[in-house]
Amino acid sequence: MTRIDAKFAELKASGKKAFVAYVMAGDPDYEKSLEIVKSLPAAGVDVIELGLPFTDPMADGPTIQLAGQRALEGGMTLQKTLDLATEFRKDDDTTPIVMMGYYNPIHNRGVDTFLADAKAAGIDGLIIVDLPPEEDEELCIPAQKAGLNFIRLATPTTDDKRLPKVLQNTSGFVYYVSITGITGSAEAQANDVGPEVARIKAKTDLPVIVGFGIRTPETAEAIAGIADGAVVGSAIVAKIADGEPTDAVQAYVKTLADGAHRA
């Protein structure tokens, strides 16, 4: 059982929904990023998604693209992202960390080496947005064998024919993308998302978490109310981009987490 599995079992037992927060590793710099990541559990974050900076992030909107650019310009690398997770783990051995990004840096390092290093750093799961199920032998199946969850995205365009393929080797949770398009664009609508979540849950026992288009405590509550939890990324990253101090970022994240936990 991974930390992700344990966290969702604990939430289910207490009748709570999950709040997942995304931040870009190394944004605006390594030290501030580590400080922010360390502050998230106290804000009520159940799962941390740690963005891996990449030069060509095709699924990300401008907010997260710019965060990745800032991180790369500050010297952030895959190794430093793993170092950040290692530092976080010195004080927190329970909050799950999911690394989210693209396959290039992992391929460049070598899958076996990367998986061993990720496991040692305390990474619990991976969301690699440019590896479809057809490429499962590449990383997904080796990751599962190494004891990491491989979390897949489902979208409004994932029809009933495609869905079983998407769910086939997924573990940890399913990440439902609430809108078509890029991160940080339109606002998620619970009325639209509800039937889609129900459709996915009819095909899997995994928790279904909804992300993209959630910026307020009210939306976090509404979305968590029809799913197993909510993810917020761009709205948090925007606060960091504005130069807000860590305690202000933490206070904002807490309002979102409280919203999701009210559901």
Side-chain angles (χ1 to χ4, degrees):
M1 182 182 270
T2 66
R3 289 185 188 90
I4 297 169
D5 300 328
K7 175 58 71 173
F8 280 105
E10 173 196 318
L11 287 165
K12 189 175 183 180
S14 59
K16 280 177 76 176
K17 301 300 180 78
F19 181 70
V20 182
Y22 170 98
V23 292
M24 179 66 73
D27 176 38
D29 56 58
Y30 179 90
E31 293 303 329
K32 177 77 180 285
S33 178
L34 176 60
E35 195 177 272
I36 289 168
V37 172
K38 283 184 169 182
S39 78
L40 295 176
V45 172
D46 298 300
V47 179
I48 296 168
E49 278 183 13
L50 193 58
L52 175 61
F54 182 54
T55 50
D56 190 22
M58 57 194 176
D60 297 324
T63 303
I64 289 178
Q65 276 195 25
L66 289 169
Q69 283 179 21
R70 287 191 297 272
L72 291 168
E73 286 164 7
M76 203 61 182
T77 60
L78 172 53
Q79 182 56 52
K80 286 186 176 178
T81 303
L82 294 170
D83 293 345
L84 191 150
T86 302
E87 281 298 312
F88 175 84
R89 282 280 170 246
K90 289 180 180 177
D91 301 318
D92 186 317
D93 195 43
T94 56
T95 305
I97 299 176
V98 175
M99 185 183 283
M100 185 171 187
Y102 299 82
Y103 185 47
N104 256 48
I106 295 168
H107 178 70
N108 191 45
R109 193 181 189 91
V111 166
D112 292 344
T113 302
F114 166 74
L115 290 173
D117 293 345
K119 187 78 176 163
I123 301 293
D124 304 293
L126 302 172
I127 299 175
I128 308 301
V129 296
D130 55 348
L131 273 183
E134 287 74 15
E135 307 292 337
D136 275 357
E137 296 290 341
E138 193 79 23
L139 180 63
C140 171
I141 289 168
Q144 310 265 33
K145 286 179 180 169
L148 279 82
N149 291 125
F150 199 88
I151 295 142
R152 192 87 68 193
L153 303 179
T155 74
T157 59
T158 307
D159 60 19
D160 288 338
K161 186 179 177 186
R162 181 67 176 166
L163 186 59
K165 189 79 175 170
V166 168
L167 297 174
Q168 191 174 310
N169 291 311
T170 302
S171 66
F173 59 91
V174 178
Y175 187 135
Y176 180 70
V177 176
S178 67
I179 54 174
T180 52
I182 52 174
T183 58
S185 48
E187 186 170 359
Q189 301 293 333
N191 289 344
D192 298 333
V193 173
E196 292 297 299
V197 170
R199 184 169 68 91
I200 297 166
K201 288 182 77 67
K203 302 288 184 187
T204 180
D205 293 331
L206 292 170
V208 179
I209 308 302
V210 176
F212 286 44
I214 301 170
R215 298 186 191 90
T216 66
E218 293 74 23
T219 310
E221 181 177 0
I223 293 296
I226 50 88
D228 296 301
V231 187
V232 178
S234 295
I236 298 169
V237 172
K239 296 282 183 189
I240 297 167
D242 289 342
E244 301 246 358
T246 299
D247 58 352
V249 175
Q250 183 187 41
Y252 172 64
V253 172
K254 186 175 187 306
T255 66
L256 298 165
D258 287 350
H261 292 149
R262 278 195 300 270

